[in-house]
Amino acid sequence: MTLPRFATGLQHLTRAQRQHFRRVVREAFTPDLRTELIRPAPGIKRVRCTPGVFDR
């Protein structure tokens, strides 16, 4: 599911920024989700009592 706010923000990125975003998702974020070991990052936190859900 893609939230409208996310889709709008993605549309406002330059082509280079979208490519960088996709690369980071593919190479870092997606593998972390599979192992449920999210790297520390400002503003990212696990939602308590809801496995596999993270919030910013």
Side-chain angles (χ1 to χ4, degrees):
M1 178 173 93
T2 302
L3 297 177
R5 181 176 169 191
F6 176 82
T8 300
L10 194 61
Q11 289 175 352
H12 285 94
L13 297 178
T14 65
R15 181 178 178 169
Q17 290 171 323
R18 281 193 304 271
Q19 288 173 338
H20 178 72
F21 173 78
R22 287 186 177 109
R23 186 173 66 247
V24 169
V25 168
R26 200 173 39 250
E27 295 174 5
F29 189 68
T30 301
D32 284 358
L33 286 177
R34 288 187 185 125
T35 63
E36 293 190 13
L37 297 173
I38 300 300
R39 300 163 214 232
I44 303 295
K45 60 185 178 186
R46 182 180 300 272
V47 175
R48 292 183 184 189
C49 302
T50 311
V53 177
F54 297 84
D55 190 16
R56 176 178 170 247

Coordinates of all heavy atoms in Angstrom, one line a residue:
M1 N 0.8 -1.2 0.0 CA 0.0 0.0 0.0 C 0.9 1.2 0.0 O 1.8 1.3 0.8 CB -0.9 0.0 1.2 CG -1.8 1.2 1.3 SD -2.9 1.1 2.7 CE -2.0 1.9 3.9
T2 N 0.6 2.2 -0.9 CA 1.3 3.4 -0.9 C 0.4 4.6 -0.5 O -0.7 4.7 -1.1 CB 1.8 3.7 -2.4 OG1 2.7 2.6 -2.8 CG2 2.6 5.0 -2.4
L3 N 0.9 5.3 0.5 CA 0.1 6.5 1.0 C 0.2 7.6 0.0 O 1.3 7.8 -0.6 CB 0.5 6.9 2.3 CG 0.4 5.9 3.4 CD1 1.0 6.4 4.7 CD2 -1.1 5.5 3.6
P4 N -0.9 8.4 -0.2 CA -0.8 9.5 -1.1 C 0.3 10.5 -0.8 O 1.0 11.0 -1.7 CB -2.2 10.2 -1.0 CG -3.1 9.1 -0.4 CD -2.2 8.2 0.4
R5 N 0.6 10.7 0.4 CA 1.7 11.7 0.8 C 3.0 11.2 0.3 O 3.8 11.9 -0.2 CB 1.7 11.8 2.3 CG 2.7 12.8 2.8 CD 2.6 13.0 4.3 NE 3.7 13.7 4.8 CZ 4.0 13.8 6.1 NH1 3.2 13.3 7.0 NH2 5.1 14.4 6.5
F6 N 3.2 9.8 0.4 CA 4.5 9.3 0.0 C 4.6 9.4 -1.6 O 5.6 9.8 -2.1 CB 4.6 7.8 0.4 CG 5.8 7.1 -0.2 CD1 7.0 7.2 0.5 CD2 5.7 6.3 -1.3 CE1 8.1 6.6 0.0 CE2 6.8 5.7 -1.8 CZ 8.0 5.8 -1.2
A7 N 3.5 9.0 -2.3 CA 3.5 9.1 -3.7 C 3.8 10.5 -4.2 O 4.6 10.7 -5.2 CB 2.2 8.6 -4.3
T8 N 3.2 11.5 -3.5 CA 3.4 12.9 -3.9 C 4.9 13.3 -3.7 O 5.5 13.9 -4.6 CB 2.5 13.8 -3.1 OG1 1.1 13.5 -3.4 CG2 2.7 15.3 -3.4
G9 N 5.4 12.9 -2.6 CA 6.8 13.2 -2.3 C 7.7 12.6 -3.3 O 8.7 13.2 -3.8
L10 N 7.5 11.4 -3.7 CA 8.3 10.7 -4.6 C 8.3 11.3 -6.0 O 9.3 11.5 -6.7 CB 7.8 9.2 -4.8 CG 8.7 8.2 -5.5 CD1 10.1 8.1 -4.7 CD2 8.1 6.9 -5.6
Q11 N 7.1 11.8 -6.4 CA 7.0 12.5 -7.7 C 7.8 13.8 -7.7 O 8.2 14.3 -8.8 CB 5.5 12.9 -7.9 CG 4.7 11.7 -8.3 CD 3.2 12.0 -8.4 OE1 2.8 13.1 -8.1 NE2 2.4 11.1 -8.8
H12 N 8.0 14.4 -6.6 CA 8.7 15.7 -6.5 C 10.3 15.5 -6.5 O 11.0 16.5 -6.6 CB 8.3 16.5 -5.3 CG 7.0 17.1 -5.5 ND1 5.8 16.5 -5.1 CD2 6.6 18.3 -6.1 CE1 4.8 17.3 -5.4 NE2 5.2 18.4 -6.0
L13 N 10.7 14.3 -6.4 CA 12.2 14.0 -6.5 C 12.7 14.1 -7.9 O 11.9 13.8 -8.9 CB 12.5 12.7 -5.9 CG 12.2 12.4 -4.5 CD1 12.5 10.9 -4.1 CD2 12.9 13.4 -3.6
T14 N 13.9 14.5 -8.1 CA 14.5 14.5 -9.4 C 14.7 13.0 -9.8 O 14.7 12.1 -9.0 CB 15.9 15.2 -9.4 OG1 16.8 14.5 -8.6 CG2 15.7 16.6 -8.9
R15 N 15.0 12.8 -11.1 CA 15.3 11.4 -11.5 C 16.4 10.8 -10.8 O 16.4 9.7 -10.3 CB 15.6 11.4 -13.0 CG 15.8 10.1 -13.6 CD 16.0 10.1 -15.0 NE 16.3 8.7 -15.5 CZ 16.3 8.3 -16.7 NH1 16.1 9.2 -17.7 NH2 16.5 7.1 -17.0
A16 N 17.5 11.6 -10.6 CA 18.7 11.1 -9.8 C 18.3 10.7 -8.4 O 18.8 9.7 -7.8 CB 19.8 12.1 -9.9
Q17 N 17.5 11.6 -7.8 CA 17.1 11.3 -6.4 C 16.2 10.1 -6.3 O 16.4 9.3 -5.3 CB 16.3 12.5 -5.8 CG 17.2 13.7 -5.6 CD 16.3 15.0 -5.2 OE1 15.3 15.2 -5.8 NE2 16.9 15.8 -4.3
R18 N 15.3 9.8 -7.3 CA 14.5 8.6 -7.3 C 15.4 7.4 -7.4 O 15.1 6.4 -6.8 CB 13.4 8.7 -8.4 CG 12.2 9.6 -8.0 CD 11.1 9.4 -9.0 NE 11.4 9.6 -10.3 CZ 11.3 10.8 -10.9 NH1 10.9 11.9 -10.3 NH2 11.7 10.9 -12.2
Q19 N 16.3 7.5 -8.3 CA 17.2 6.3 -8.5 C 18.0 6.0 -7.2 O 18.2 4.9 -6.9 CB 18.2 6.6 -9.7 CG 17.6 6.6 -11.0 CD 18.5 7.0 -12.2 OE1 19.5 7.7 -11.9 NE2 18.2 6.7 -13.4
H20 N 18.5 7.0 -6.6 CA 19.2 6.9 -5.3 C 18.3 6.2 -4.3 O 18.7 5.3 -3.6 CB 19.8 8.2 -4.8 CG 20.5 8.1 -3.5 ND1 21.7 7.4 -3.4 CD2 20.1 8.5 -2.3 CE1 22.1 7.5 -2.1 NE2 21.1 8.1 -1.4
F21 N 17.1 6.7 -4.2 CA 16.1 6.2 -3.2 C 15.8 4.7 -3.5 O 15.9 3.9 -2.5 CB 14.8 7.0 -3.3 CG 13.7 6.4 -2.5 CD1 13.6 6.6 -1.1 CD2 12.7 5.7 -3.1 CE1 12.6 6.1 -0.4 CE2 11.7 5.1 -2.4 CZ 11.6 5.3 -1.0
R22 N 15.6 4.4 -4.7 CA 15.3 3.0 -5.1 C 16.5 2.1 -4.7 O 16.4 1.0 -4.3 CB 14.9 2.9 -6.5 CG 13.5 3.4 -6.7 CD 13.0 3.1 -8.2 NE 11.7 3.6 -8.3 CZ 11.3 4.7 -9.0 NH1 12.2 5.4 -9.7 NH2 10.1 5.0 -9.1
R23 N 17.7 2.6 -5.0 CA 18.9 1.8 -4.7 C 19.1 1.6 -3.2 O 19.4 0.4 -2.8 CB 20.2 2.5 -5.3 CG 21.4 1.6 -5.1 CD 22.7 2.2 -5.8 NE 23.1 3.5 -5.2 CZ 23.0 4.7 -5.7 NH1 22.5 4.8 -7.0 NH2 23.4 5.7 -5.1
V24 N 18.8 2.6 -2.4 CA 18.9 2.4 -1.0 C 17.9 1.4 -0.5 O 18.2 0.6 0.3 CB 18.8 3.8 -0.3 CG1 18.6 3.6 1.2 CG2 20.0 4.7 -0.5
V25 N 16.7 1.5 -1.0 CA 15.6 0.6 -0.6 C 16.0 -0.8 -1.0 O 15.9 -1.8 -0.1 CB 14.3 1.0 -1.2 CG1 13.2 -0.1 -1.1 CG2 13.7 2.3 -0.6
R26 N 16.5 -1.0 -2.2 CA 16.9 -2.4 -2.7 C 18.1 -2.9 -1.9 O 18.1 -4.1 -1.6 CB 17.1 -2.3 -4.1 CG 17.1 -3.5 -4.9 CD 17.2 -3.3 -6.4 NE 18.2 -2.3 -6.9 CZ 17.8 -1.2 -7.4 NH1 16.6 -0.8 -7.6 NH2 18.8 -0.3 -7.8
E27 N 19.1 -2.1 -1.6 CA 20.3 -2.6 -1.1 C 20.4 -2.6 0.4 O 21.2 -3.4 1.0 CB 21.5 -1.8 -1.7 CG 21.6 -2.0 -3.2 CD 22.7 -1.2 -3.8 OE1 23.4 -0.4 -3.1 OE2 22.9 -1.2 -5.0
A28 N 19.6 -1.8 1.1 CA 19.8 -1.7 2.5 C 18.4 -1.9 3.3 O 18.4 -2.8 4.1 CB 20.3 -0.3 2.9
F29 N 17.4 -1.2 2.9 CA 16.2 -1.3 3.6 C 15.5 -2.7 3.5 O 15.1 -3.3 4.5 CB 15.2 -0.2 3.2 CG 14.0 -0.1 4.1 CD1 14.1 0.3 5.4 CD2 12.8 -0.4 3.6 CE1 13.0 0.4 6.2 CE2 11.6 -0.3 4.4 CZ 11.8 0.2 5.7
T30 N 15.3 -3.2 2.3 CA 14.7 -4.4 2.0 C 15.4 -5.6 2.7 O 14.7 -6.4 3.4 CB 14.5 -4.7 0.5 OG1 13.7 -3.7 0.0 CG2 13.8 -6.0 0.3
P31 N 16.7 -5.7 2.6 CA 17.4 -6.8 3.4 C 17.2 -6.7 4.9 O 17.0 -7.7 5.6 CB 18.8 -6.7 3.0 CG 18.8 -6.0 1.7 CD 17.6 -5.0 1.7
D32 N 17.2 -5.5 5.4 CA 17.0 -5.3 6.8 C 15.6 -5.8 7.2 O 15.4 -6.4 8.3 CB 17.1 -3.8 7.2 CG 18.6 -3.4 7.3 OD1 19.5 -4.2 7.0 OD2 18.8 -2.2 7.5
L33 N 14.6 -5.5 6.4 CA 13.2 -5.9 6.7 C 13.1 -7.5 6.8 O 12.4 -8.0 7.6 CB 12.2 -5.4 5.7 CG 11.8 -3.9 5.8 CD1 10.9 -3.6 4.7 CD2 11.3 -3.6 7.2
R34 N 13.9 -8.1 5.9 CA 13.8 -9.6 5.9 C 14.4 -10.2 7.2 O 13.9 -11.2 7.7 CB 14.6 -10.1 4.7 CG 13.8 -9.9 3.4 CD 14.5 -10.6 2.2 NE 13.8 -10.2 1.0 CZ 14.4 -9.7 -0.1 NH1 15.7 -9.4 -0.1 NH2 13.7 -9.4 -1.1
T35 N 15.4 -9.5 7.7 CA 16.0 -10.0 9.0 C 15.4 -9.3 10.2 O 15.7 -9.8 11.3 CB 17.5 -9.7 9.0 OG1 17.8 -8.3 8.9 CG2 18.2 -10.4 7.8
E36 N 14.6 -8.3 10.0 CA 14.0 -7.5 11.1 C 15.1 -6.8 11.9 O 14.9 -6.5 13.1 CB 13.1 -8.3 11.9 CG 11.8 -8.8 11.2 CD 10.8 -9.4 12.1 OE1 10.9 -9.3 13.3 OE2 9.8 -10.0 11.5
L37 N 16.3 -6.6 11.4 CA 17.3 -5.9 12.1 C 17.5 -4.6 11.3 O 18.3 -4.4 10.4 CB 18.6 -6.7 12.0 CG 18.6 -8.0 12.8 CD1 19.9 -8.8 12.5 CD2 18.4 -7.8 14.3
I38 N 16.7 -3.6 11.7 CA 16.8 -2.3 11.1 C 18.0 -1.5 11.6 O 18.2 -1.4 12.8 CB 15.5 -1.5 11.3 CG1 14.3 -2.3 10.8 CG2 15.6 -0.1 10.7 CD1 14.4 -2.5 9.3
R39 N 18.8 -0.9 10.7 CA 19.9 -0.1 11.1 C 19.4 1.1 11.8 O 18.4 1.7 11.4 CB 20.8 0.3 9.9 CG 21.3 -0.9 9.1 CD 21.7 -0.5 7.7 NE 21.4 -1.6 6.8 CZ 22.3 -2.1 6.0 NH1 23.5 -1.5 5.9 NH2 22.0 -3.1 5.2
P40 N 20.1 1.6 12.8 CA 19.7 2.8 13.4 C 19.8 4.0 12.5 O 20.7 4.1 11.7 CB 20.8 3.0 14.5 CG 21.5 1.7 14.7 CD 21.3 1.0 13.4
A41 N 18.7 4.8 12.5 CA 18.7 6.0 11.6 C 17.8 7.0 12.3 O 16.8 6.6 13.0 CB 18.1 5.6 10.2
P42 N 18.1 8.3 12.1 CA 17.3 9.3 12.8 C 15.8 9.2 12.4 O 15.5 9.1 11.2 CB 17.8 10.6 12.3 CG 19.2 10.3 11.8 CD 19.1 8.8 11.3
G43 N 14.9 9.1 13.4 CA 13.5 9.1 13.1 C 12.9 7.8 12.8 O 11.6 7.7 12.7
I44 N 13.6 6.7 12.7 CA 13.1 5.4 12.4 C 12.9 4.6 13.7 O 13.9 4.5 14.4 CB 13.9 4.6 11.4 CG1 14.1 5.4 10.1 CG2 13.3 3.3 11.1 CD1 12.8 5.7 9.3
K45 N 11.8 4.1 14.0 CA 11.6 3.3 15.2 C 10.6 2.2 14.9 O 9.7 2.3 14.0 CB 11.1 4.2 16.3 CG 9.8 4.9 16.0 CD 9.4 5.8 17.1 CE 8.1 6.5 16.8 NZ 7.7 7.5 17.7
R46 N 10.8 1.1 15.6 CA 9.9 0.0 15.5 C 8.5 0.3 16.2 O 8.5 1.0 17.3 CB 10.5 -1.2 16.2 CG 9.7 -2.5 16.1 CD 10.4 -3.6 16.8 NE 11.7 -3.9 16.2 CZ 11.9 -4.8 15.2 NH1 10.9 -5.4 14.7 NH2 13.1 -5.0 14.8
V47 N 7.4 -0.1 15.7 CA 6.1 0.1 16.3 C 5.9 -1.1 17.3 O 6.0 -2.2 16.9 CB 5.0 0.1 15.3 CG1 3.6 0.2 16.0 CG2 5.2 1.3 14.3
R48 N 5.8 -0.7 18.5 CA 5.6 -1.8 19.6 C 4.4 -2.6 19.3 O 3.3 -2.1 18.9 CB 5.5 -1.1 21.0 CG 6.8 -0.5 21.4 CD 6.7 0.0 22.8 NE 7.9 0.7 23.1 CZ 8.2 1.2 24.3 NH1 7.4 1.0 25.3 NH2 9.3 1.8 24.5
C49 N 4.5 -3.9 19.7 CA 3.3 -4.8 19.6 C 2.9 -5.1 18.1 O 1.8 -5.6 17.9 CB 2.2 -4.4 20.4 SG 2.6 -4.1 22.2
T50 N 3.6 -4.6 17.2 CA 3.3 -4.9 15.8 C 4.5 -5.3 15.0 O 5.3 -4.5 14.5 CB 2.7 -3.6 15.1 OG1 1.7 -3.1 16.0 CG2 2.1 -3.9 13.8
P51 N 4.8 -6.6 14.9 CA 6.0 -7.1 14.3 C 6.1 -6.6 12.8 O 5.1 -6.7 12.1 CB 5.9 -8.6 14.4 CG 4.8 -8.9 15.3 CD 3.9 -7.7 15.4
G52 N 7.3 -6.2 12.4 CA 7.6 -5.9 11.1 C 7.1 -4.5 10.6 O 7.1 -4.2 9.5
V53 N 6.6 -3.7 11.6 CA 6.1 -2.3 11.2 C 7.0 -1.3 11.9 O 7.4 -1.4 13.0 CB 4.6 -2.1 11.7 CG1 4.2 -0.7 11.5 CG2 3.7 -3.1 11.1
F54 N 7.4 -0.3 11.0 CA 8.3 0.7 11.5 C 7.7 2.1 11.1 O 6.9 2.2 10.2 CB 9.7 0.6 10.8 CG 10.4 -0.7 11.2 CD1 10.1 -1.9 10.5 CD2 11.3 -0.7 12.2 CE1 10.7 -3.0 10.9 CE2 11.9 -1.9 12.6 CZ 11.6 -3.1 11.9
D55 N 8.0 3.1 11.9 CA 7.4 4.4 11.7 C 8.5 5.4 11.7 O 9.6 5.2 12.3 CB 6.5 4.7 12.9 CG 5.6 5.9 12.7 OD1 5.6 6.4 11.5 OD2 5.0 6.4 13.6
R56 N 8.3 6.5 11.1 CA 9.2 7.6 11.1 C 8.7 8.8 11.9 O 7.6 9.1 11.9 CB 9.5 8.0 9.6 CG 10.4 9.2 9.5 CD 10.6 9.6 8.1 NE 11.3 10.8 8.1 CZ 10.8 11.9 7.7 NH1 9.6 12.0 7.1 NH2 11.4 13.1 7.8

